[in-house]
Amino acid sequence: TVKADAVTGAPHIENTIANSANRTNDVIWNKSKVKNATQYEIQWRAPGGNWASNTVGNTSRGKTTNLTIGALYEIRVRGKNGNVYGPWSNTVYRYFFTTQTIRLKSASKGTFTMSWAHNANATGYQVLFTDQPNGAGAANNINNIAAGQTSFTKKGLVSGKNYYVQVRAIKKVGNISYIGNISCPVAVTVK
């Protein structure tokens, strides 16, 4: 028998994209530090529950399946080669919920106000925005909003510039923040 090479280096989960209609989460990871992996195993569970698992080929994307709307999940990934497993990635914490919808409430000079529907189960929200259509840089503009609020105003913006705004619900349990599905971006032209 040929012994499989040791799998070294952990992948890093970069993002998850929820599909509440199909009850799946696409998990996207960076595998640049992983050596000798021919496949990747994705695991997910409700906090304290049993891990469910899905194995994909030598790729940087896979799915969690059969998720429950409103539930919390821990997700992790590792490389494998035959029966040889590499170290686990970072663990991400997700609040799997129907995606919030965000809309423009008003725009005035250097300002926009966005609003969204109240989520009774959320402990807060995050509003992200960027001037890049592909969403790049939004992680540098995260605004934490209290649970009872359903609108956000940003001032001091550049007139005539387009901004792309998204919202996601947060559910905090203990010291862990489970991040909800992010909304589709809404383009706003600031007056």
Side-chain angles (χ1 to χ4, degrees):
T1 60
V2 178
K3 187 176 183 310
D5 288 330
V7 178
T8 60
H12 182 82
I13 297 176
E14 306 264 324
N15 198 8
T16 61
I17 302 170
N19 182 329
S20 50
N22 291 341
R23 295 173 45 224
T24 62
N25 234 328
D26 276 14
V27 182
I28 301 160
W29 58 89
N30 180 324
K31 59 179 189 155
S32 62
K33 294 189 171 140
V34 181
K35 302 286 180 267
N36 301 320
T38 57
Q39 293 179 302
Y40 286 85
E41 180 187 24
I42 306 148
Q43 284 194 340
W44 65 96
R45 69 176 181 182
N50 294 323
W51 291 101
S53 170
N54 189 14
T55 300
V56 295
N58 190 5
T59 180
S60 56
R61 188 173 184 137
K63 282 187 188 313
T64 62
T65 57
N66 297 323
L67 303 181
T68 302
I69 298 287
L72 305 175
Y73 291 96
E74 303 169 2
I75 304 169
R76 63 187 186 178
V77 177
R78 64 181 173 179
K80 63 179 281 203
N81 184 340
N83 290 325
V84 178
Y85 290 88
W88 286 110
S89 68
N90 55 316
T91 299
V92 296
Y93 301 92
R94 294 296 181 256
Y95 171 37
F96 190 74
F97 206 84
T98 306
T99 305
Q100 297 285 143
T101 334
I102 191 169
R103 64 183 178 82
L104 176 65
K105 200 169 172 183
S106 66
S108 54
K109 188 161 179 56
T111 302
F112 65 69
T113 299
M114 308 302 291
S115 66
W116 55 90
H118 176 63
N119 177 338
N121 297 302
T123 56
Y125 303 93
Q126 287 181 340
V127 177
L128 299 80
F129 70 93
T130 178
D131 59 4
Q132 301 297 311
N134 64 358
N140 301 323
N141 289 309
I142 296 177
N143 301 271
N144 292 303
I145 314 295
Q149 282 185 251
T150 54
S151 69
F152 167 75
T153 300
K154 180 66 183 175
K155 297 177 178 173
L157 299 167
V158 179
S159 289
K161 198 164 195 178
N162 284 329
Y163 292 91
Y164 301 85
V165 191
Q166 295 173 281
V167 67
R168 59 192 179 194
I170 303 293
K171 189 166 176 96
K172 194 162 184 183
V173 179
N175 59 359
I176 296 175
S177 289
Y178 290 83
I179 297 171
N181 315 346
I182 198 157
S183 68
C184 291
V186 171
V188 177
T189 303
V190 173
K191 294 177 182 172

